Amino acid sequence: VATYLVLAISGENRGGDLKILVREDQFDTIGIRPAMSSDDATQVLDVLAVVDPRLSATWSRRFKSHQEKLKSGDVFDLAEVVRNLALRQQERTLGAADKAMYRRARTSLLAELAVTWGVSTDSAAERVDGALRR
């Protein structure tokens, strides 16, 4: 008997929710990992609070680096992308590609933190925004 994980994806943009069933023996193949621990969530807030990260001055290199971090699936890489783009947004207006990347990265990070903390994504956003303001 196979064990399945049910992934529920909010369908606000599609007009309805989507549920996907994934066999447990396929988790590694498709890149599903457990949600982060509470300790990891605390460390994510520390990553977000770094105020002077080293970034490439060249947009294309920065963008490529951010894309690679997002593809890694690592929550700390995800937090770095959110932090870096949030800091740039405070300094100047983000271009369309950066805005889209920031939205996707922030949404993913908030969803995972909300699950870890057992709170709404709005509550998770308040904590993330507090860390970014440090």
Side-chain angles (χ1 to χ4, degrees):
V1 175
T3 303
Y4 288 84
L5 173 69
V6 178
L7 299 174
I9 300 169
S10 175
E12 295 171 7
N13 295 335
R14 292 181 306 279
D17 291 343
L18 175 66
K19 289 186 180 178
I20 301 172
L21 279 70
V22 180
R23 283 176 46 128
E24 185 176 37
D25 61 356
Q26 296 297 309
F27 288 3
D28 289 337
T29 304
I30 63 173
I32 292 178
R33 61 171 173 71
M36 73 177 100
S37 68
S38 294
D39 288 341
D40 286 346
T42 300
Q43 291 176 20
V44 162
L45 293 178
D46 291 340
V47 168
L48 293 171
V50 172
V51 293
D52 194 19
R54 299 196 99 144
L55 300 173
S56 172
T58 308
W59 177 84
S60 61
R61 285 188 183 152
R62 249 190 342 267
F63 190 80
K64 184 177 179 181
S65 172
H66 287 154
Q67 282 182 316
E68 289 170 4
K69 287 177 186 287
L70 293 177
K71 287 179 187 176
S72 76
D74 182 90
V75 71
F76 298 105
D77 285 346
L78 178 61
E80 284 183 23
V81 172
V82 169
R83 177 202 62 213
N84 295 347
L85 292 173
L87 288 171
R88 290 208 51 93
Q89 187 173 40
Q90 290 170 7
E91 296 170 2
R92 60 182 62 95
T93 304
L94 293 177
D98 280 341
K99 280 183 187 177
M101 181 182 286
Y102 179 56
R103 246 188 334 272
R104 285 190 312 272
R106 183 177 167 87
T107 298
S108 295
L109 184 64
L110 292 177
E112 188 159 356
L113 287 170
V115 167
T116 298
W117 290 327
V119 300
S120 69
T121 53
D122 289 340
S123 294
E126 289 175 16
R127 291 175 77 172
V128 164
D129 291 342
L132 289 168
R133 281 192 294 269
R134 283 195 227 166

Short mmCIF file of all heavy atoms in Angstrom, two decimals, residues 9 61 69 96 114:
data_model
loop_
_atom_site.label_atom_id
_atom_site.label_comp_id
_atom_site.label_asym_id
_atom_site.label_seq_id
_atom_site.Cartn_x
_atom_site.Cartn_y
_atom_site.Cartn_z
N ILE A 9 -2.77 23.54 -3.09
CA ILE A 9 -2.24 24.79 -3.63
C ILE A 9 -3.39 25.76 -3.77
O ILE A 9 -4.39 25.47 -4.44
CB ILE A 9 -1.54 24.54 -4.98
CG1 ILE A 9 -0.40 23.56 -4.80
CG2 ILE A 9 -1.05 25.86 -5.57
CD1 ILE A 9 0.19 23.04 -6.08
N ARG A 61 24.31 39.61 -13.33
CA ARG A 61 24.96 38.66 -12.41
C ARG A 61 24.13 38.47 -11.16
O ARG A 61 24.00 37.35 -10.65
CB ARG A 61 26.36 39.15 -12.04
CG ARG A 61 27.33 38.96 -13.16
CD ARG A 61 28.74 39.26 -12.71
NE ARG A 61 29.64 39.14 -13.84
CZ ARG A 61 30.75 39.80 -13.95
NH1 ARG A 61 31.13 40.64 -12.99
NH2 ARG A 61 31.52 39.65 -15.00
N LYS A 69 19.87 30.56 -6.62
CA LYS A 69 19.48 30.36 -5.23
C LYS A 69 18.05 29.83 -5.12
O LYS A 69 17.76 28.94 -4.33
CB LYS A 69 19.63 31.65 -4.43
CG LYS A 69 21.08 32.03 -4.14
CD LYS A 69 21.15 33.36 -3.42
CE LYS A 69 22.57 33.82 -3.24
NZ LYS A 69 23.31 33.07 -2.24
N ALA A 96 10.80 45.06 -13.64
CA ALA A 96 9.70 44.09 -13.72
C ALA A 96 10.16 42.67 -13.37
O ALA A 96 9.47 41.94 -12.64
CB ALA A 96 9.09 44.11 -15.11
N ALA A 114 4.83 30.23 7.63
CA ALA A 114 3.50 30.12 8.22
C ALA A 114 3.21 28.68 8.67
O ALA A 114 2.68 28.46 9.76
CB ALA A 114 2.44 30.59 7.21
#
